[in-house]
Amino acid sequence: MGQFIQFAINGLMSGAIYALIAVGIVSVFKATKVVNFAHGYLIMFGAYFYFTFAVIIPGQEWAPAWLASWQPGWMVEMRQGLNMFSPLGAVLDWAANVPRIIFGLIGAVLCNALLGMLIERSLMRPLMGQSVFAMIMVTVGLISILSGAASLIWTADAAFVPHIAPNTPIRFEVFGTMVFLFGADIVNMIIALLIFGGIVAMVKFTKSGVAIRATAEDQSTAYSMGISVPKIFSRAWILASATGAVAGAILATRNGISPSLGLFGFSVLAIVLMGGLDSYVGCFIAAMSVGVLEAMTQWKLGGEWAEIVPYVAVLVVIIFRPHGLMGQKEVERI
Amino acid sequence: MLSVSDLHLSFGGIKALQGVNFEAKEGEITGVIGPNGAGKTSLFNAISGFYAPDKGTVRFDGQDITDITPDKRASLGMARTFQNIALFRGMTVLDNIKLGGHTRLKTGMFSAFKYFGSARREELELRRDIEERVIDFLEIDHIRKYPITMLSYGLQKRVELARALAMRPRVLLLDEPVAGMNREETADMARFILDVQEQFGTTILLVEHDMHMVMDICSHIVVLNFGQQIASGTPAEVSKNPAVIEAYLGAAA
Amino acid sequence: MINGNLKADYGADERVLNNRNKQLFVYGSMLLLAIFPFVAGDYAMLMACKMGILLIAVVGVNVLTGYTGLVSLGHGAFVAIGAYATVVFSNLFSGLPEGILPLIVIPLAVIVSALVGIIVGLPSLRVKGLYLAVATLAASFIVTFLIEQDLFAPWTGGVNGINTPTANLLGWELDTKREMYVLITVLALTTLLAAQNLFRTRVGRAFIAIRDRDYSAEILGISLLRYKLMSFAISAAYCGLSGALFAYFYARILPEQFELDLSLELVAALIVGGMGRTMGPVFGVFIVMMVPELIKIAMGAATGGSLELARYTGPVQEIVFGLLLVTFLLKEPLGINQITDRILRSANRWPFARG
């Protein structure tokens, strides 16, 4: 039972990250009807940007010292006399990193947003109104372009990237068993859920959200009603790559940075399809269930089997519910 | 030949068909008319097997075909055209028409790979058949090698009819065969439909908005309104029926 | 100028090479292929064999994606199944005489691929387009994952790969590239011809009908179930054959050779060459294989053979591969076949301007 709760909580935490990544794919799909096969590689770029702004730039000689490690007098005083593994020590370690974490996150979000806009402008917009197949294949071509570009730009070995929140171990008791978590994981989950919720609320309640939904229903009608569809396209891509940057930063702190981060996108793609492509709620349910299922598989069958959980899950769901858990079935008029 | 009895069809809460009953008699032209949204195309889709009716049966030559798939209905000898032309746009006119012969051919996967031998014989026989029986008949020999996208609307409609005729159908369903055509094209199409009936003895069921044409060529007419069958009979009977006049012109008239 | 299009009977009109220029092109290319092994160096031989193997798989993807309109991003898995089935069956039947072993093993590998193809194709009966692309992608991840597992390692060698047998046709041991070239070229041309033939009959027409408008195909009596699964089976069988040749060609196979990169290469070659056209895969494979080679040569010349800069070659090749696919989608979505069509059209009208 104790093990079960521990793994279930781990699963929910990775589920939240899945949901954060999924939100990018769903938003682009809703606005443009294109499923971005290269979303994982956008996330990889986000991770590398975070690495660049939080590690490489602060490490340069010309960068101010406080950026690399912020050590105001009061913090030095507090540190004195602390033993090695005290929770306060971990918090202080984190506090010293705060400037570069903020710098890294802002840099990653801005650069990735710019990258998303660039992709939309140069590759997606010329295909607007063309077959969806062509657009999807363009994102497939983007996989190679992004993955090649990343290994060309970031040749240095990816070192440690700072955690977004203090990584203190937290222990507490649930139903009489000890559960063991890391502080950073909890904060990551909260960030992921807040961003997810924020985007859903935006699409539901704001004017540009209505414009996105109208575009999702019918692009040409939306265009003729005065909605600037190209602008919606741009915004969706910027939104997806900006959220992708945050997801990338989180993943970088959890699993380290490597070109294989891009492959992560495919499991999220499977999750999005399971959820039903255009449904935020469906994707959230799918993300959480896959997260928990993965954790359980890891527990019972071993880590490597967890790799294929999203793929098996999506096949099962597609066979029984061809349009995903909550997806809209498109009625074909004959 | 083709009969529907007590056909009911609904989508969610919308009742598209409520108890339609009629028979298309062998070798005759039967027309289905009704205002927009009366359920005419739904009726066609139920007859050709795209929609499963909630209640009622569709019979073809005495056999109950309510539950079989569209492709099996085609093998029995049922052909149809669509309201908004459903030709294969990636193919030439000739290939489109050849597809009509699909159910009559036997070539399997392996003889198709080989081509030379039985598959080639069969293909050449099909080519001869459609050239002589369909392309010549519908006067489309000048466009046979054209891609569909190069043809005018009227010609596309004619190619769709050609494709249906290549099936050697026993029953032909025509969904608005002259919609959107000018007077001359309409007259041509009406002549072709009559010729098909005369030469091949095909039973024809058609949906149409063009009253003149329906009255001219149909021997029996079924009138639908809001999914209900409000009248049926000869053109003369139907045009005098008060319920039909009301449906078309409103109560005040 | 080829004037008129005058035919005396339907047989003449149904011919594929229905004019002089097409005949010239096809027979000329076959002559070149026959001369090639006598003049080419070892490296050119290696490239030719790789192209031939890839070509067979791309022709398979063309049947499914180009003609039937069912998008698959996971066909690398069928190549894997063909290759591993070849190794597994060769070891299983090692008691049989060497000379007839490939004659049994290759057909078996093809059949196994086709059967798995039918299973993977099952979702295509319920979902279209995107969903199918992701479903095939997911299936391919599962296949390569299973090959790597310790559970199957006794047969597949797991992540470390496994040594492959040498092909031996009735006592003729194909242990050089030049000999493999003969087998690969003969099989590639045969399968290309078979695919072309398919689309001269009702089977191929049914595939195209499903691609263009599936409900209209149904109304003509085409069973979607039967033909979609048949298309999957044929394309998987082609990939299986390609995998079998892959296994015979290389001394060792590794699971990572059949992962996403291969699946994407197959689709990219098809798009670059021209989807739904017989010669599309031929042109596409040529470009997709030659461009990275040219980059390697160019990078080698530019960097003067410095090892320091040589590590940039891989990423640059990757980027150019992606750009190639994207550029074709943006500028010439019907692929090189469209360009050659234009050239052929002006050749037919020469010396008049093309109209």
Side-chain angles (χ1 to χ4, degrees):
Chain A
M1 186 64 195
Q3 287 266 17
F4 176 82
I5 292 171
Q6 174 73 59
F7 276 97
I9 292 177
N10 289 353
L12 288 177
M13 288 196 300
S14 36
I17 312 288
Y18 280 143
L20 175 61
I21 300 171
V23 88
I25 299 179
V26 177
S27 302
V28 166
F29 178 78
K30 261 184 173 306
T32 70
K33 287 279 177 284
V34 170
V35 169
N36 183 6
F37 275 83
H39 193 65
Y41 294 82
L42 272 179
I43 285 163
M44 179 187 74
F45 258 78
Y48 273 117
F49 281 134
Y50 181 63
F51 173 61
T52 308
F53 285 95
V55 178
I56 297 181
I57 292 180
Q60 300 298 315
E61 277 174 28
W62 46 263
W66 56 265
L67 188 61
S69 183
W70 185 45
Q71 302 284 7
W74 55 269
M75 206 188 277
V76 180
E77 265 169 44
M78 273 176 87
R79 198 179 276 281
Q80 272 154 18
L82 282 177
N83 58 352
M84 255 183 89
F85 294 106
S86 78
L88 184 63
V91 173
L92 286 178
D93 283 346
W94 169 74
N97 281 331
V98 164
R100 63 179 182 141
I101 292 170
I102 294 173
F103 187 60
L105 280 177
I106 292 174
V109 167
L110 286 181
C111 284
N112 231 30
L114 206 66
L115 177 69
M117 198 170 84
L118 192 75
I119 292 169
E120 192 276 325
R121 274 296 168 90
S122 58
L123 302 179
M124 290 294 142
R125 193 160 309 172
L127 284 171
M128 209 171 95
Q130 298 277 333
S131 78
V132 173
F133 173 78
M135 291 205 213
I136 290 169
M137 283 301 147
V138 166
T139 69
V140 170
L142 204 55
I143 293 177
S144 302
I145 297 175
L146 291 180
S147 118
S151 37
L152 209 56
I153 300 168
W154 289 282
T155 47
D157 284 331
F160 164 80
V161 279
H163 278 283
I164 290 173
N167 206 23
T168 45
I170 297 168
R171 244 182 268 258
F172 57 94
E173 208 168 308
V174 186
F175 301 124
T177 51
M178 284 305 271
V179 175
F180 184 80
L181 299 173
F182 283 102
D185 283 343
I186 297 172
V187 176
N188 289 343
M189 180 166 88
I190 293 169
I191 293 175
L193 294 180
L194 281 180
I195 294 177
F196 186 92
I199 286 172
V200 174
M202 192 204 86
V203 172
K204 249 198 150 66
F205 300 118
T206 67
K207 200 174 153 199
S208 54
V210 175
I212 286 183
R213 280 187 289 154
T215 312
E217 288 277 323
D218 187 331
Q219 279 177 16
S220 36
T221 309
Y223 214 162
S224 65
M225 289 288 123
I227 293 167
S228 169
V229 173
K231 215 178 258 172
I232 297 287
F233 273 44
S234 275
R235 278 188 203 159
W237 274 88
I238 289 170
L239 186 76
S241 30
T243 54
V246 179
I250 291 175
L251 284 176
T253 62
R254 274 166 65 108
N255 314 340
I257 301 180
S258 71
S260 69
L261 263 181
L263 287 173
F264 202 75
F266 294 112
S267 27
V268 181
L269 198 61
I271 289 171
V272 168
L273 244 73
M274 250 176 96
L277 256 181
D278 56 355
S279 154
Y280 287 114
V281 182
C283 284
F284 186 77
I285 296 171
M288 288 300 176
S289 347
V290 168
V292 172
L293 268 176
E294 264 186 8
M296 294 300 153
T297 313
Q298 206 167 8
W299 175 31
K300 290 291 180 195
L301 291 173
E304 75 271 19
W305 288 89
E307 244 175 70
I308 55 163
V309 165
Y311 305 119
V312 176
V314 74
L315 287 178
V316 172
V317 169
I318 277 183
I319 286 167
F320 291 103
R321 286 188 64 93
H323 294 272
L325 295 172
M326 312 275 283
Q328 241 175 31
K329 189 181 189 305
E330 273 188 35
V331 180
E332 210 172 340
R333 275 194 72 90
I334 295 168
Chain B
M1 187 65 190
L2 178 77
S3 67
V4 299
S5 51
D6 197 27
L7 207 61
H8 284 75
L9 178 70
S10 61
F11 304 103
I14 303 155
K15 294 195 173 72
L17 297 173
Q18 310 175 47
V20 179
N21 287 288
F22 69 88
E23 188 188 356
K25 292 206 182 65
E26 179 142 22
E28 289 189 2
I29 302 179
T30 307
V32 178
I33 59 171
N36 281 329
K40 304 182 295 292
T41 297
S42 294
L43 173 68
F44 261 39
N45 285 337
I47 293 176
S48 49
F50 288 122
Y51 300 155
D54 305 333
K55 205 177 129 196
T57 52
V58 181
R59 286 178 180 280
F60 182 90
D61 203 10
Q63 185 191 345
D64 185 347
I65 57 164
T66 319
D67 296 322
I68 69 177
T69 52
D71 57 286
K72 295 217 180 69
R73 298 183 198 213
S75 328
L76 290 175
M78 187 191 281
R80 84 171 264 193
T81 65
F82 292 85
Q83 189 178 330
N84 34 16
I85 305 168
L87 289 167
F88 305 110
R89 302 178 74 83
M91 284 190 243
T92 61
V93 169
L94 196 57
D95 279 338
N96 263 281
I97 300 173
K98 277 181 180 174
L99 266 157
H102 185 85
T103 52
R104 282 187 289 124
L105 305 183
K106 297 196 173 48
T107 305
M109 189 175 79
F110 292 104
S111 47
F113 278 136
K114 197 159 60 97
Y115 186 69
F116 293 95
S118 64
R120 181 164 185 273
R121 268 199 304 281
E122 198 180 65
E123 282 300 314
L124 293 186
E125 174 53 29
L126 171 73
R127 176 76 193 272
R128 196 193 55 75
D129 177 64
I130 60 173
E131 286 282 353
E132 287 164 16
R133 200 174 51 86
V134 180
I135 293 185
D136 203 35
F137 176 77
L138 290 175
E139 300 161 17
I140 47 176
D141 30 355
H142 57 298
I143 54 163
R144 61 160 87 80
K145 293 273 173 84
Y146 284 22
I148 295 299
T149 39
M150 274 179 69
L151 304 181
S152 69
Y153 179 78
L155 273 178
Q156 290 194 19
K157 282 264 184 196
R158 212 189 291 176
V159 173
E160 207 185 4
L161 178 64
R163 189 179 68 183
L165 288 183
M167 295 172 76
R168 294 176 183 252
R170 294 163 69 199
V171 169
L172 180 58
L173 310 175
L174 303 172
D175 195 349
E176 304 206 12
V178 301
M181 286 190 182
N182 62 29
R183 198 167 296 188
E184 196 188 344
E185 287 170 327
T186 305
D188 279 345
M189 185 55 92
R191 183 167 54 84
F192 285 129
I193 294 171
L194 285 170
D195 284 351
V196 168
Q197 180 213 11
E198 222 165 82
Q199 285 206 11
F200 307 122
T202 315
T203 309
I204 296 172
L205 180 67
L206 63 89
V207 158
E208 190 44 73
H209 275 299
D210 189 318
M211 276 312 145
H212 291 294
M213 185 183 119
V214 174
M215 295 294 167
D216 280 352
I217 70 172
C218 295
S219 53
H220 188 84
I221 290 175
V222 177
V223 189
L224 298 183
N225 194 19
F226 296 115
Q228 273 162 338
Q229 186 173 336
I230 56 173
S232 82
T234 63
E237 286 165 13
V238 163
S239 57
K240 286 196 212 83
N241 188 316
V244 176
I245 295 168
E246 193 190 313
Y248 271 91
L249 301 174
Chain C
M1 176 86 185
I2 294 175
N3 53 349
N5 198 11
L6 311 169
K7 306 283 161 34
D9 59 287
Y10 295 129
D13 200 38
E14 293 276 318
R15 211 161 276 157
V16 174
L17 302 177
N18 52 10
N19 73 42
R20 214 169 48 217
N21 290 334
K22 281 189 199 169
Q23 285 162 2
L24 197 69
F25 174 73
V26 170
Y27 296 137
S29 316
M30 283 168 73
L31 189 69
L32 285 180
L33 285 177
I35 301 172
F36 189 69
F38 297 103
V39 294
D42 270 351
Y43 194 70
M45 246 20 254
L46 171 75
M47 285 300 292
C49 289
K50 279 163 101 173
M51 281 186 201
I53 293 171
L54 193 68
L55 174 64
I56 297 174
V58 177
V59 172
V61 178
N62 195 19
V63 170
L64 185 74
T65 306
Y67 288 107
T68 320
L70 303 170
V71 183
S72 165
L73 293 179
H75 259 54
F78 296 118
V79 182
I81 289 170
Y84 275 95
T86 304
V87 176
V88 171
F89 285 127
S90 295
N91 293 336
L92 208 62
F93 301 135
S94 53
L96 289 172
E98 264 185 37
I100 58 162
L101 196 56
L103 299 180
I104 298 168
V105 167
I106 296 178
L108 273 179
V110 170
I111 292 169
V112 170
S113 278
L115 290 179
V116 179
I118 291 174
I119 296 169
V120 174
L122 283 175
S124 75
L125 302 173
R126 303 209 54 184
V127 294
K128 279 193 256 183
L130 254 170
Y131 283 86
L132 187 64
V134 177
T136 51
L137 188 69
S140 80
F141 280 129
I142 295 171
V143 167
T144 42
F145 174 82
L146 289 179
I147 290 172
E148 285 174 0
Q149 285 318 294
D150 292 343
L151 195 62
F152 301 103
W155 297 282
T156 64
V159 276
N160 300 319
I162 194 163
N163 288 332
T164 59
T166 310
N168 185 324
L169 295 175
L170 306 171
W172 175 36
E173 194 151 344
L174 292 91
D175 48 5
T176 66
K177 290 193 186 69
R178 234 162 277 268
E179 285 165 307
M180 276 305 286
Y181 171 87
V182 177
L183 177 67
I184 292 171
T185 311
V186 167
L187 283 177
L189 289 179
T190 313
T191 49
L192 194 63
L193 180 69
Q196 163 67 46
N197 282 343
L198 202 57
F199 295 95
R200 303 171 76 183
T201 65
R202 72 171 200 141
V203 180
R205 278 197 301 270
F207 290 164
I208 303 177
I210 291 172
R211 175 193 73 190
D212 284 358
R213 213 180 281 261
D214 51 359
Y215 62 86
S216 196
E218 243 182 322
I219 214 77
L220 297 173
I222 294 164
S223 156
L224 296 186
L225 172 96
R226 188 185 160 83
Y227 283 95
K228 278 184 175 178
L229 292 185
M230 195 192 282
S231 181
F232 257 100
I234 292 173
S235 75
Y238 270 77
C239 288
L241 179 63
S242 162
L245 291 174
F246 191 99
Y248 281 126
F249 185 68
Y250 293 102
R252 191 175 179 83
I253 50 173
L254 293 160
E256 66 190 36
Q257 289 169 305
F258 306 100
E259 278 173 1
L260 187 68
D261 289 347
L262 177 62
S263 297
L264 295 189
E265 199 173 3
L266 295 176
V267 178
L270 183 59
I271 290 173
V272 169
M275 292 203 303
R277 303 293 304 271
T278 307
M279 291 302 282
V282 179
F283 300 132
V285 165
F286 188 76
I287 295 294
V288 165
M289 299 286 282
M290 284 311 282
V291 167
E293 283 311 306
L294 293 178
I295 291 169
K296 203 157 93 185
I297 293 165
M299 292 284 287
T303 57
S306 114
L307 282 176
E308 174 67 17
L309 294 168
R311 67 198 168 89
Y312 291 120
T313 308
V316 171
Q317 282 175 329
E318 216 179 342
I319 294 173
V320 172
F321 173 81
L323 284 176
L324 197 66
L325 176 57
V326 170
T327 312
F328 267 92
L329 284 166
L330 290 174
K331 301 292 174 201
E332 193 74 78
L334 298 175
I336 296 173
N337 214 132
Q338 188 73 3
I339 300 172
T340 56
D341 272 0
R342 278 202 289 270
I343 294 170
L344 191 66
R345 224 172 14 246
S346 26
N348 289 347
R349 290 181 60 87
W350 187 86
F352 295 101
R354 86 185 131 94

